[in-house]
Amino acid sequence: MAEAVTRRTTCRLCGSAALTLVLSLEPTALANAFVDAAAMCTAQTLYPLDIYLCERCGHAQLIDVVDPRWLFQRHRTAIAEVPAAVESTDAWADDLIRRLRPRQGALIVGIGSNDGTLLRRFDAAGMRPQGVEPVLDLARSAINGGVPTFPGFFSPGIAERIEEERGRAAVVIAQNVLAHADDLAAVIEGVQQLLARDGTFVFDVAYLLDMVEGGLFDGILHENLGYYAVAPLVRFFHSCDMELVAVQRTNGRLRGFVQRLGGNLRSDATVEALCELEGRAGLATPTVFEDLGRRIAATRNALWSLLEPVQQAGGLIAGLGAPAKSTSLLYQLGLDRQVIALIGDDTPWKQGLSTPGLHIPIMPTDELVRRRPDLLIVLAWEHAEALIAQARSCLGWEGRFVVPLPEPRQV
Ligand SMILES: [Zn+2]
């Protein structure tokens, strides 16, 4: 599988070759490469996880690129499987409908449209949805749910087909696509091909400022090639004859509204305000990433001081939740199978599998708590409250939990 990695030499946003290594993390297995029992005797390939900063435009990125067919054509979690994700996706769609007011019958295209959850909301509001999704299972479930979806990676070719068959789009929405795409220029070329003259391109991506301020390093994964700030994007869209007119910072995400130069939307003060915050935080400088590196080390030490007494007493330590991000978390915090014996996660397709690279077995949460672990580390820390409540209801006793991020704490 080693041949599936290529190394790029230029910045994805501006093409400059002046890229500086600013943060070198522990190499990890691919975050979604869960394995079954038969594959557990084979060691999985570990890939470098190094962030480079562009000296010209300030964009932070991975330059070691794993072939996207390895990354995205495996089983992945559908939005519909996670109630909290459905709720936030619906709320986002409602916000977009209110804000952009697409006409009845307008074409709305989702890129990386998952199982069609977001687009179904537009369908219900009287618009015509069209998805594009590379994960075949997800594309199939979107189609079964009534959302026409092209299985594949969005490209100028797919954009052309959609335009021929369905016309131009009033809104093109890229969910997380900017972070995943190696060839961004091709994505934007496709968007321009597809977007009506007065159309809006909307993107949603993890926000670098929240990642560094919160010390949320577990979002650094091979599939996330770009770590986005507003300032480099302003210049990038301008270089594509487009303009970033507004941004929203919400729950660690950055959402942007982009139009062709001279379009109808008026730019508001949000873009400038975030650029200013980024400047003050020194987001385009290596210092921010050096600080993040130190913070990871501090998190590791603080967590270990909570785990060591349990380990020395021969107690059973287990994990709660195995999202893709937990792969990074486990590797960067040095938590292997010697430390965490088992993980409880109720995602149906993960049952009976083990975690990528480290091969920690996954089982249903109630089965895990029946083994009475002495300490549970909440790996899916963003859902800590719900997971702890669920585990406690199966436990019949209070239990001891550690939430590792943003700062390790015992509950
Ligand atoms: Zn650049």
Side-chain angles (χ1 to χ4, degrees):
M1 232 165 98
E3 68 280 6
V5 185
T6 54
R7 171 166 270 221
R8 62 178 295 136
T9 54
T10 57
C11 170
R12 280 183 190 89
L13 291 190
C14 77
S16 165
L19 299 171
T20 308
L21 176 64
V22 288
L23 182 62
S24 193
L25 298 186
E26 286 294 321
T28 78
L30 300 181
N32 258 308
F34 294 85
V35 293
D36 59 20
M40 271 176 66
C41 45
T42 321
Q44 284 172 269
T45 309
L46 305 185
Y47 297 88
L49 205 48
D50 298 330
I51 293 190
Y52 286 75
L53 192 65
C54 172
E55 289 173 27
R56 186 158 98 189
C57 78
H59 181 50
Q61 55 205 298
L62 303 185
I63 61 171
D64 296 295
V65 182
V66 179
D67 187 328
R69 285 170 299 181
W70 286 107
L71 287 170
F72 295 105
Q73 286 175 351
R74 295 169 184 275
H75 201 125
R76 291 173 79 86
T77 302
I79 290 176
E81 287 174 47
V82 186
V86 173
E87 209 174 293
S88 68
T89 302
D90 284 349
W92 185 32
D94 293 344
D95 183 56
L96 289 176
I97 292 168
R98 262 196 310 274
R99 192 174 170 124
L100 300 173
R101 300 177 179 283
R103 282 188 305 274
Q104 290 292 299
L107 180 67
I108 313 293
V109 176
I111 314 175
S113 51
N114 197 276
D115 59 358
T117 299
L118 181 79
L119 289 172
R120 244 190 313 279
R121 203 77 169 177
F122 286 91
D123 187 27
M127 292 127 213
R128 289 182 300 135
Q130 171 67 54
V132 181
E133 171 54 54
V135 181
L136 299 182
D137 288 350
L138 293 177
R140 210 171 293 133
S141 96
I143 294 166
N144 292 340
V147 175
T149 299
F150 270 110
F153 291 99
F154 183 72
S155 64
I158 285 190
E160 204 178 319
R161 274 182 65 186
I162 295 175
E163 194 206 347
E164 277 167 14
E165 289 173 21
R166 310 206 65 196
R168 290 225 165 176
V171 185
V172 177
I173 306 164
Q175 282 179 275
N176 224 7
V177 173
L178 297 196
H180 293 166
D182 183 31
D183 189 354
L184 265 185
V187 171
I188 299 304
E189 193 191 320
V191 169
Q192 287 176 319
Q193 162 100 29
L194 200 50
L195 206 58
R197 280 208 60 76
D198 59 349
T200 310
F201 171 55
V202 180
F203 66 83
D204 167 85
V205 78
Y207 188 28
L208 178 62
L209 187 58
D210 285 308
M211 186 177 102
V212 300
E213 281 184 354
L216 311 180
F217 59 86
D218 59 342
I220 304 175
L221 311 172
H222 297 99
E223 61 186 50
N224 291 334
L225 295 167
Y227 298 87
Y228 284 89
V230 177
L233 280 173
V234 170
R235 287 186 282 262
F236 169 68
F237 283 117
H238 210 266
S239 74
C240 308
D241 292 325
M242 298 183 87
E243 54 181 334
L244 179 60
V245 290
V247 285
Q248 295 171 320
R249 181 186 189 181
T250 166
N251 290 329
R253 313 290 299 173
L254 176 70
R255 287 173 180 168
F257 296 82
V258 183
Q259 65 183 2
R260 294 179 198 277
L261 277 182
N264 295 338
L265 296 178
R266 239 181 299 152
S267 13
D268 62 24
T270 53
V271 175
E272 210 171 302
L274 281 190
C275 286
E276 205 183 304
L277 273 187
E278 291 173 4
R280 248 183 282 154
L283 210 51
T285 64
T287 317
V288 163
F289 296 91
E290 287 157 16
D291 288 346
L292 182 60
R294 275 191 286 274
R295 188 134 170 209
I296 296 171
T299 301
R300 192 190 301 130
N301 292 340
L303 182 73
W304 273 91
S305 68
L306 296 171
L307 304 186
E308 253 160 6
V310 183
Q311 222 190 3
Q312 277 159 9
L316 175 64
I317 300 177
L320 264 191
K325 282 161 87 173
S326 65
T327 299
S328 231
L329 193 69
L330 292 167
Y331 273 98
Q332 304 314 326
L333 298 179
L335 303 172
D336 59 17
R337 210 175 155 179
Q338 310 306 318
V339 185
I340 298 187
L342 304 157
I343 294 177
D345 187 302
D346 295 325
T347 311
W349 67 266
K350 287 180 186 162
Q351 299 313 313
L353 301 183
S354 295
T355 63
L358 299 167
H359 299 171
I360 304 172
I362 297 169
M363 57 176 54
T365 308
D366 60 348
E367 205 176 309
L368 175 78
V369 299
R370 270 203 298 274
R371 301 185 186 210
R372 300 187 73 86
D374 298 280
L375 189 71
L376 283 156
I377 306 177
V378 187
L379 302 171
W381 59 272
E382 287 163 301
H383 309 291
E385 214 174 301
L387 288 173
I388 291 174
Q390 186 208 352
R392 277 185 173 149
S393 76
C394 320
L395 281 170
W397 49 284
E398 279 293 282
R400 281 177 68 206
F401 300 85
V402 166
V403 182
L405 285 180
E407 321 240 291
R409 62 188 168 97
Q410 200 158 316
V411 181

PDB file of all heavy atoms in Angstrom, residues 11 14 54 57, ligand 1:
ATOM      1  N   CYS A  11       2.017  24.606  -2.806  1.00  0.00           N
ATOM      2  CA  CYS A  11       0.837  24.929  -2.003  1.00  0.00           C
ATOM      3  C   CYS A  11      -0.437  24.714  -2.819  1.00  0.00           C
ATOM      4  O   CYS A  11      -0.516  25.087  -3.975  1.00  0.00           O
ATOM      5  CB  CYS A  11       0.936  26.386  -1.549  1.00  0.00           C
ATOM      6  SG  CYS A  11      -0.571  27.013  -0.806  1.00  0.00           S
ATOM      7  N   CYS A  14      -1.993  28.514  -3.517  1.00  0.00           N
ATOM      8  CA  CYS A  14      -1.352  29.570  -4.311  1.00  0.00           C
ATOM      9  C   CYS A  14      -0.268  29.059  -5.236  1.00  0.00           C
ATOM     10  O   CYS A  14       0.285  29.810  -6.021  1.00  0.00           O
ATOM     11  CB  CYS A  14      -0.811  30.673  -3.394  1.00  0.00           C
ATOM     12  SG  CYS A  14       0.719  30.217  -2.557  1.00  0.00           S
ATOM     13  N   CYS A  54       2.483  27.335   4.088  1.00  0.00           N
ATOM     14  CA  CYS A  54       2.923  28.049   2.885  1.00  0.00           C
ATOM     15  C   CYS A  54       3.418  29.432   3.311  1.00  0.00           C
ATOM     16  O   CYS A  54       2.693  30.182   3.948  1.00  0.00           O
ATOM     17  CB  CYS A  54       1.788  28.174   1.882  1.00  0.00           C
ATOM     18  SG  CYS A  54       2.206  29.240   0.488  1.00  0.00           S
ATOM     19  N   CYS A  57       1.128  32.291   1.184  1.00  0.00           N
ATOM     20  CA  CYS A  57      -0.276  32.628   1.462  1.00  0.00           C
ATOM     21  C   CYS A  57      -0.723  32.220   2.870  1.00  0.00           C
ATOM     22  O   CYS A  57      -1.823  32.529   3.293  1.00  0.00           O
ATOM     23  CB  CYS A  57      -1.197  32.021   0.405  1.00  0.00           C
ATOM     24  SG  CYS A  57      -1.504  30.260   0.617  1.00  0.00           S
TER      25      CYS A  57
HETATM   26 ZN    ZN B   1       0.153  29.197  -0.567  1.00  0.00          ZN
END
